[in-house]
């Protein structure tokens, strides 16, 4: 099996990623989710996994942000918009894409830790890949102003450190 992993500019690669994203996270798929109304940030970079047989099979958005943790500025990375074609799940594509995203964040020497949000049923997947639950509070921006983000639990990944308590302010939209 031949797999191609590309890491591309977020905005420029959106036309490639959008059909997969809509198939997995389109309005009809998320209408009943507590986070259906959330305004999300655009990815800075995208990990795209393609196979010759199937085309695009997996996507992970990569985000870079100067946020605050307990009131101190900190440069963090994030992943979001993780999606794999339904008929290609269970083949390791998401793991490969997340590993590529983490490797990309590590290459940015300013990043101290990574952050993601996931639905509870996906928590074991991320825990098996060394993501830790963040037990503190997370704040972000939304069109109505600054809010505490409680729609999905946050998880952190150790780049230089992995804080699991305290307050994180994303200083922008969530991912």
């Amino acid at each position: 099996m031949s797999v191609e992993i590309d890491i591309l500019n977020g905005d420029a690669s959106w036309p490639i990623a959008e059909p997969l994203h809509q198939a997995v996270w389109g309005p009809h798929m998320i209408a009943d989710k507590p986070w259906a109304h959330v305004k999300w940030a655009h990815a800075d970079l995208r990990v795209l996994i393609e196979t010759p047989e199937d085309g695009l099979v997996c996507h992970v958005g990569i985000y870079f942000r100067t946020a605050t943790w307990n009131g101190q500025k900190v440069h963090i990375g994030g992943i979001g918009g993780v999606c794999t074609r339904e008929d290609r799940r269970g083949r390791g594509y998401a793991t490969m894409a997340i590993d590529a995203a983490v490797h990309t964040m590590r290459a940015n020497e300013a990043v101290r830790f990574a952050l993601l949000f996931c639905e509870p049923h996906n928590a074991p997947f991320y825990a098996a890949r060394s993501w830790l639950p963040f037990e503190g509070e997370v704040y972000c921006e939304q069109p109505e102003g600054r809010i505490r983000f409680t729609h999905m639990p946050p998880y952190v990944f150790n780049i230089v450190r992995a804080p699991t308590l305290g307050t994180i302010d994303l200083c922008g939209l969530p991912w």
Side-chain angles (χ1 to χ4, degrees), residues 22-139:
Q22 288 300 312
V24 175
W25 296 116
H28 62 288
M29 303 295 283
I30 67 166
D32 64 340
K33 305 283 186 190
W35 45 267
H37 68 286
V38 171
K39 174 136 176 74
W40 302 99
H42 293 241
D44 296 304
L45 300 171
R46 297 181 191 283
V47 178
L48 302 175
I49 296 187
E50 297 181 55
T51 68
E53 307 82 31
D54 302 312
L56 183 63
V57 294
C58 187
H59 164 273
V60 170
I62 302 174
Y63 304 80
F64 295 104
R65 180 81 54 84
T66 300
T68 64
W69 173 52
N70 293 336
Q72 300 296 311
K73 286 185 178 183
V74 61
H75 194 64
I76 66 174
I79 67 168
V82 177
C83 54
T84 303
R85 259 181 47 183
E86 189 172 3
D87 64 341
R88 294 297 177 256
R89 293 181 184 158
R91 298 177 186 207
Y93 295 131
T95 297
M96 283 188 270
I98 291 166
D99 287 349
V102 168
H103 180 76
T104 301
M105 287 185 273
R106 283 187 193 283
N108 181 327
E109 294 177 2
V111 172
R112 296 295 170 237
F113 63 91
L115 178 77
L116 65 78
F117 301 96
C118 76
E119 293 181 291
H121 72 272
N122 289 324
F125 173 84
Y126 291 105
R129 286 147 186 85
S130 300
W131 289 81
L132 304 170
F134 181 78
E135 304 293 342
E137 297 179 348
V138 177
Y139 291 86

